[in-house]
């Protein structure tokens, strides 16, 4: 009310003096009553002394106009008493340009999503204790004192939403305690309210966001004070401000966290550090990663967020501090697991206490970010009560599952990581990359190129073979290559166009700055890397959409050349093909595959060579899988006009093909166990157990 009257009555309608008037007001708000000018107007002197350095910055030179004044008054007419703290994150995000936001990995979050982290981290357990002791006044008093000593730290706090919500929920619990401890009239509310903003600490690299966080913490403090004031019937405001949240402006990965909050005083670390993946990291961020990970092998592929995991793990050694971060789900999939979690398990004895499996993380800002994330809660000590929050729908509500242990793939199971290996853990056919031309395109032919070449040099036909790359395979397109492995010199004399292409390859390789490529110039008729199978083979695209329900494989004769965008498995039987294109194997892919953006990146060393094929398959089950796998191939072939990309589109998959795959799934499942699997979660838990059996057997 005071501020509204000040703008209405003490500023010009054209806004010309708003800047100077606000500067005057800021000075008053920043000055104690006993130090203010004696002749100060009463309407201005009525404003309280705020302190906290909130109004020490001057607005000199700030130019207003009538529209700005009108907008300011419109804000004044709103009731800001119950403003959502999330508005501050939205405010900051809305004024950041898109490129800058991506560079920072900034994602400002909804209240519901923040509660998914803070409830299992600390809030649920605090309320459980409260319910057990709320009738015992002595224990309740001790519990309340403990609440006022808890300290919270967000080492990448942004505009403070995690701290704000944590403080609000702490104050709500405090309120419930106060209602039980002080049922009679309270003479001095200040004496009974012990929780305060100085229990909250943060680090933020953006100065403006750090300032927003400090102000927002005062605002939520005021809101909670008003709630208590209303209940006890007396006004309670902490003015002048004496305490503030400890928000440090700086790079969290280079600042010593002990200088922000001593770890012997800290209770919880929480937040959503920047998500930035390997490809999007700038020079400074890569330097940060080197500083944190040092000589950890393979750390160059890790997401930026992992630096906060490792720094937290180092910081919490020998303490009871609990940590929970929101992260991209990529740190619980593929090769990042074997690098990050191996380090955390082996060298820092980290245990996962709770986890939210992949869900859709959105915020309340305009044009909000929506990414697939996880939440991981961990500590330097074990816990008997572990919880996995599972999602049937990534946009839906999770259900909680109590488990004995949570592995880094965020399913129930022992602590282990899957690392790359050169040879399969099972007795199965070998897998390898396809062949790489290293030819500058001179060996490659389109349909038109092939026709043109054969028009002039028909003898070249016996040296032209179909080339299989992932794109052509999935989209049903033709591509060809010159395969000159058994080139006859007399034929070459009759093929000047082919000879020119060979000459081009030789020159291209000879001019390379890479020594290995220069050596290849001595063999200009051959692909740079020849890994062509000597028998019929199964083709697996190395990269494919995350939306597909099944791994789309192809079965080809050795006359088809597999390119390096694919993987090839030779000497494959229908049994192996059936298993690889089943839901069982696809479940393994989902959890162990690396990613490019959100698409899968199938790895021979990480996925295939670690996949636990079924043991001791009976002849009956083997024949069933072969029959059902053949059926899948036949149904696919019946759709001559459709590409595999179309056939395996989850929205357009033909019912006959889907049914054929479902029958194959049942047959493959029986090769593993007589029990049926309700969902992929049960499948992956079973596969992880079988994987450990294989590893233990290999170690003997």
């Amino acid at each position: 009310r005071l501020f509204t009257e000040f703008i209405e009555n003490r500023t010009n309608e054209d806004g010309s003096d708003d800047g100077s008037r606000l500067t005057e007001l800021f000075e008053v708000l920043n000055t104690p009553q006993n130090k203010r000018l004696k002749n100060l107007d009463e309407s201005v002197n009525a404003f309280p002394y705020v302190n906290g350095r909130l109004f020490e910055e001057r607005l000199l030179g700030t130019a207003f106009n009538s529209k700005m004044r009108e907008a300011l008054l419109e804000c004044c007419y709103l009731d800001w008493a119950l403003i959502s703290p999330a508005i501050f994150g939205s405010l900051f995000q809305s004024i950041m340009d898109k490129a800058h936001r991506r560079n920072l990995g900034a994602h400002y979050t909804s209240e519901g999503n923040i509660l998914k982290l803070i409830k299992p981290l600390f809030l649920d357990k605090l309320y459980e204790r409260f319910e057990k002791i709320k009738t015992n006044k002595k224990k309740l008093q001790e519990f309340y004192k403990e609440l006022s000593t808890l300290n919270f730290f967000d080492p990448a706090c942004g505009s403070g939403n995690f701290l704000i919500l944590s403080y609000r929920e702490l104050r709500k619990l405090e309120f419930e305690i106060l209602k039980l401890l002080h049922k009679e009239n309270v003479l001095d509310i200040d004496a009974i309210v012990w929780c305060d903003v100085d229990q909250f600490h943060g680090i933020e690299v953006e100065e403006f966001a750090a300032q927003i966080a400090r102000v927002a913490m005062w605002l939520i403090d005021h809101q909670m004070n008003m709630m208590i004031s209303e209940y006890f019937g007396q006004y309670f405001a902490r003015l002048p401000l004496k305490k503030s949240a400890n928000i440090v402006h700086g790079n969290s990965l280079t600042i010593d966290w002990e200088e922000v909050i001593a770890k012997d005083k800290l209770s919880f670390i929480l937040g959503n550090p920047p998500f930035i993946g390997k490809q999007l990291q700038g020079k400074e961020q890569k330097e940060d990663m080197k500083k944190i990970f040092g000589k950890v092998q393979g750390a160059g592929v890790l997401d930026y967020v992992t630096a906060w995991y490792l720094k937290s793990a180092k910081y919490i050694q020998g303490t009871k501090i609990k940590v929970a971060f929101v992260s991209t789900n990529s740190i619980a999939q593929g090769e990042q697991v074997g690098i990050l979690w191996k380090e955390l398990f082996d060298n820092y004895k980290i245990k996962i206490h709770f986890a939210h499996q992949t869900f859709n993380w959105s915020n309340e800002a305009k044009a909000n970010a929506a990414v697939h994330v996880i939440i991981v809660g961990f500590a330097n000590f074990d816990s008997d009560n572990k919880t996995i929050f599972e999602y049937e729908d990534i946009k839906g509500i999770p259900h909680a599952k109590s488990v004995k242990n949570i592995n880094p793939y965020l399913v129930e199971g022992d602590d282990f990581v899957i690392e790359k290996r050169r040879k399969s853990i099972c007795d199965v056919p070998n897998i390898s990359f396809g062949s790489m031309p290293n030819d500058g395109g001179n060996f490659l032919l389109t349909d038109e190129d092939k026709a043109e070449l054969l028009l002039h040099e028909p003898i070249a036909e016996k040296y032209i073979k179909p080339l299989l790359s992932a794109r052509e395979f999935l989209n049903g397109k033709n591509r060809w290559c010159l395969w000159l492995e058994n080139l006859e010199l007399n034929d070459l004399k009759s093929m000047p166009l082919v000879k020119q292409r060979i000459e081009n390859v030789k020159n291209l390789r000879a001019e390379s700055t890479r020594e290995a490529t220069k050596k290849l110039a001595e063999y200009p008729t051959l692909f740079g890397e020849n890994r062509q199978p000597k028998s019929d083979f199964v083709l697996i695209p190395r990269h494919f959409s995350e939306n597909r329900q099944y791994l789309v494989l192809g079965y080809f004769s050795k006359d088809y050349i597999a390119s390096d965008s694919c993987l090839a498995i030779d000497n494959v039987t229908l049994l192996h093909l059936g298993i690889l294109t089943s839901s069982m194997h696809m479940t393994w892919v989902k959890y162990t595959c690396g990613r490019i953006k959100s698409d899968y990146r199938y790895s021979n060393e990480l996925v295939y060579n670690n996949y636990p094929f079924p043991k001791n398959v009976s002849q009956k089950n083997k024949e069933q899988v072969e029959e059902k796998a053949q059926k899948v191939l036949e149904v696919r072939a019946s759709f001559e006009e459709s590409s595999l990309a179309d056939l395996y589109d989850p929205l357009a998959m033909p019912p006959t093909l889907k049914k054929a795959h479902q029958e194959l799934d049942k047959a493959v499942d029986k090769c593993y166990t007589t029990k049926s699997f309700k969902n992929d979660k049960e499948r992956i838990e079973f596969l992880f157990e079988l994987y450990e059996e294989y590893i233990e057997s290999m170690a003997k």
Side-chain angles (χ1 to χ4, degrees):
R1 179 182 58 82
L2 283 174
F3 184 73
T4 303
E5 291 176 355
F6 177 83
I7 298 299
E8 287 178 333
N9 302 328
R10 295 184 62 84
T11 62
N12 296 330
E13 290 187 4
D14 63 1
S16 59
D17 66 344
D18 280 27
S20 59
R21 290 300 185 190
L22 287 173
T23 297
E24 175 190 356
L25 179 59
F26 272 37
E27 187 169 346
V28 170
L29 291 168
N30 197 50
T31 305
Q33 294 280 354
N34 61 355
K35 293 185 178 181
R36 292 178 180 177
L37 297 173
K38 301 297 183 183
N39 59 347
L40 198 62
D41 188 279
E42 284 187 15
S43 63
V44 179
N45 198 38
F47 282 92
Y49 170 48
V50 175
N51 198 17
R53 302 175 61 187
L54 184 57
F55 292 100
E56 71 175 7
E57 187 173 347
R58 295 294 175 258
L59 298 179
L60 297 173
T62 303
F64 275 72
N65 56 35
S66 59
K67 287 186 178 181
M68 292 173 66
R69 181 178 183 273
E70 185 178 336
L72 183 58
L73 282 171
E74 287 178 2
C75 290
C76 292
Y77 300 146
L78 292 174
D79 182 4
W80 290 81
L82 298 177
I83 181 175
S84 167
I87 192 65
F88 289 96
S90 299
L91 170 67
F92 181 47
Q93 184 171 347
S94 68
I95 63 173
M96 291 173 66
D97 67 84
K98 187 175 181 180
H100 187 48
R101 184 163 65 245
R102 180 189 300 167
N103 185 51
L104 290 174
H107 296 279
Y108 294 89
T109 36
S110 69
E111 180 174 317
N113 281 336
I114 293 174
L115 287 172
K116 287 180 180 179
L117 184 148
I118 67 176
K119 282 172 63 65
L121 178 63
F122 67 88
L123 195 59
D124 289 343
K125 291 180 177 60
L126 290 179
Y127 269 98
E128 286 173 14
R129 290 178 59 191
F130 170 68
E131 290 297 326
K132 289 179 181 178
I133 64 171
K134 65 182 183 181
T135 58
N136 186 319
K137 190 169 184 178
K138 181 180 178 182
K139 288 185 177 180
L140 195 59
Q141 192 80 29
E142 292 171 352
F143 178 58
Y144 181 33
K145 184 176 182 180
E146 182 183 332
L147 285 189
S148 68
T149 65
L150 296 178
N151 277 274
F152 302 77
F153 175 41
D154 184 344
C157 70
S159 55
N161 280 5
F162 279 81
L163 298 177
I164 294 163
L165 265 294
S166 296
Y167 184 53
R168 187 193 72 183
E169 295 305 310
L170 190 70
R171 290 293 302 274
K172 281 184 177 180
L173 177 54
E174 175 189 54
F175 184 40
E176 295 302 315
I177 295 171
L178 291 176
K179 287 191 289 186
L180 294 176
L181 290 177
H182 303 281
K183 295 181 180 180
E184 67 280 356
N185 290 332
V186 175
L187 297 178
D188 183 7
I189 296 180
D190 190 29
I192 67 169
V193 177
W194 295 347
C195 294
D196 211 333
V197 292
D198 63 341
Q199 294 172 241
F200 290 77
H201 314 264
I203 301 175
E204 171 52 36
V205 70
E206 284 289 302
E207 184 177 11
F208 182 44
Q211 291 175 347
I212 288 178
R214 293 188 195 100
V215 174
M217 288 296 289
W218 279 319
L219 175 61
I220 193 65
D221 180 61
H222 182 68
Q223 288 179 4
M224 304 318 293
N225 293 340
M226 292 304 97
M227 178 181 69
I228 292 175
S229 295
E230 184 178 354
Y231 181 82
F232 287 107
Q234 62 174 275
Y235 184 71
F236 169 50
R238 285 172 166 149
L239 289 177
L241 299 172
K242 296 178 181 177
K243 297 179 179 179
S244 66
N246 176 30
I247 310 297
V248 176
H249 169 222
N251 183 342
S252 181
L253 299 179
T254 59
I255 289 175
D256 182 355
W257 290 1
E258 282 268 20
E259 295 179 1
V260 179
I261 170 69
K263 64 182 181 181
D264 60 346
K265 295 181 180 179
L266 186 60
S267 312
F268 305 100
I269 299 175
L270 70 167
N272 63 327
F275 295 166
I276 310 167
K278 169 191 171 184
Q279 281 80 12
L280 295 176
Q281 291 170 22
K283 183 179 178 181
E284 289 184 11
Q285 289 147 353
K286 288 180 179 178
E287 287 299 318
D288 289 341
M289 293 292 285
K290 288 180 182 178
K291 179 179 177 63
I292 298 299
F293 283 92
K295 296 181 180 180
V296 175
Q297 192 169 3
V301 306
L302 296 175
D303 290 354
Y304 196 43
V305 68
T306 59
W308 276 264
Y309 276 79
L310 184 54
K311 187 160 184 175
S312 295
K314 295 175 181 178
Y315 177 82
I316 66 175
Q317 291 301 294
T319 74
K320 291 296 181 181
I321 298 170
K322 295 180 180 180
V323 185
F325 288 135
V326 180
S327 314
T328 38
N329 61 358
S330 53
I331 74 162
Q333 300 169 341
E335 62 185 334
Q336 292 202 51
V337 176
I339 299 165
L340 172 65
W341 290 99
K342 180 178 175 59
E343 179 72 7
L344 295 180
F345 288 158
D346 292 353
N347 295 326
Y348 300 97
K349 310 306 177 188
I350 293 303
K351 295 293 292 186
I352 298 175
H353 289 195
F354 73 89
H356 278 263
Q357 294 176 339
T358 298
F359 67 96
N360 198 64
W361 177 269
S362 58
N363 61 41
E364 296 179 354
K366 185 178 180 181
N368 64 65
V371 291
H372 293 170
V373 302
I374 55 173
I375 297 174
V376 184
F378 61 94
N380 183 226
F381 58 91
D382 205 355
S383 169
D384 293 331
N385 302 310
K386 299 185 177 76
T387 305
I388 297 175
F389 296 89
E390 299 180 337
Y391 291 78
E392 296 300 324
D393 176 1
I394 63 171
K395 295 182 180 179
I397 298 173
H399 65 269
K401 177 183 176 183
S402 295
V403 296
K404 292 181 179 179
N405 199 65
I406 304 172
N407 71 26
Y409 300 91
L410 307 189
V411 297
E412 185 172 13
D414 295 336
D415 291 339
F416 69 90
V417 297
I418 295 171
E419 299 180 84
K420 292 180 179 181
R421 61 179 67 245
R422 295 289 182 88
K423 188 177 180 181
S424 173
I425 62 174
C426 304
D427 184 16
V428 292
N430 291 328
I431 186 172
S432 66
F433 284 97
S435 299
M436 184 176 69
N438 200 340
D439 67 329
N442 287 283
F443 288 148
L444 309 182
L445 304 166
T446 63
D447 284 341
E448 292 76 14
D449 295 333
K450 176 187 174 186
E452 179 70 19
L453 179 60
L454 293 180
L455 180 65
H456 298 285
E457 299 176 1
I459 194 173
E461 185 165 14
K462 65 181 180 180
Y463 298 109
I464 296 176
K465 292 193 175 186
L467 179 71
L468 297 167
S469 70
R471 184 185 298 275
E472 282 76 26
F473 166 63
L474 292 172
N475 293 286
K477 304 296 183 182
N478 290 331
R479 204 176 191 192
W480 310 88
C481 70
L482 287 169
W483 191 254
L484 306 172
E485 191 175 33
N486 298 311
L487 178 63
E488 297 179 18
L489 294 180
N490 287 336
D491 288 342
L492 185 59
K493 293 176 182 178
S494 305
M495 298 187 297
L497 294 178
V498 171
K499 187 175 182 180
Q500 181 59 57
R501 286 174 177 259
I502 295 171
E503 190 68 32
N504 293 344
V505 171
K506 181 177 182 179
N507 293 336
L508 179 79
R509 292 175 179 176
E511 293 169 2
S512 173
T513 56
R514 187 169 173 263
E515 285 301 317
T517 303
K518 285 184 177 181
K519 291 180 180 178
L520 291 176
E522 299 175 19
Y523 310 97
T525 61
L526 303 178
F527 269 37
E529 295 178 11
N530 179 358
R531 306 186 190 91
Q532 179 62 14
K534 302 301 181 184
S535 65
D536 294 350
F537 63 93
V538 161
L539 185 87
I540 302 178
R542 288 173 58 196
H543 305 108
F544 52 93
S545 169
E546 65 167 338
N547 297 320
R548 296 210 178 96
Q549 188 176 351
Y550 296 98
L551 184 61
V552 184
L553 311 180
Y555 195 45
F556 294 95
S557 78
K558 62 182 180 181
D559 292 325
Y560 283 78
I561 307 302
S563 80
D564 61 328
S565 65
C566 302
L567 294 159
I569 312 171
D570 56 5
N571 298 308
V572 171
T573 66
L574 275 173
L575 173 65
H576 293 118
L577 185 146
I579 293 170
L580 290 172
T581 195
S582 70
S583 286
M584 204 70 170
H585 185 63
M586 190 60 190
T587 299
W588 182 262
V589 168
K590 290 175 182 176
Y591 281 85
T592 62
C593 236
R595 302 284 183 123
I596 291 184
K597 294 183 179 178
S598 60
D599 289 341
Y600 295 115
R601 182 177 61 199
Y602 195 94
S603 164
N604 55 337
E605 295 184 341
L606 192 65
V607 182
Y608 180 85
N609 286 344
N610 283 299
Y611 180 65
F613 282 83
K615 295 179 177 180
N616 306 319
V617 180
S618 69
Q619 185 63 27
K620 179 182 177 181
N621 286 339
K622 175 177 178 290
E623 290 173 357
Q624 278 289 303
V625 171
E626 290 174 342
E627 177 188 331
K628 302 304 180 183
Q630 184 61 43
K631 182 65 175 177
V632 168
L633 295 177
E634 290 172 0
V635 173
R636 278 174 26 176
S638 69
F639 292 91
E640 296 180 2
E641 302 302 318
S642 299
S643 69
L644 291 172
D646 292 334
L647 289 177
Y648 284 89
D649 184 317
L651 297 177
M653 192 174 186
T656 52
L657 181 57
K658 183 171 288 189
K659 183 178 180 181
H661 267 288
Q662 289 171 344
E663 291 297 318
L664 175 60
D665 287 342
K666 292 177 184 177
V668 171
D669 286 353
K670 287 180 181 178
C671 292
Y672 283 95
T673 178
T674 55
K675 79 168 193 175
S676 59
F677 297 102
K678 294 178 183 178
N679 50 43
D680 285 350
K681 301 292 190 305
E682 290 189 359
R683 279 194 170 93
I684 195 61
E685 288 172 2
F686 177 89
L687 287 172
F688 280 148
E689 287 182 10
L690 183 58
Y691 168 80
E692 288 190 271
E693 288 180 20
Y694 272 111
I695 298 303
E696 288 172 4
S697 177
M698 291 168 62
K700 291 179 181 178

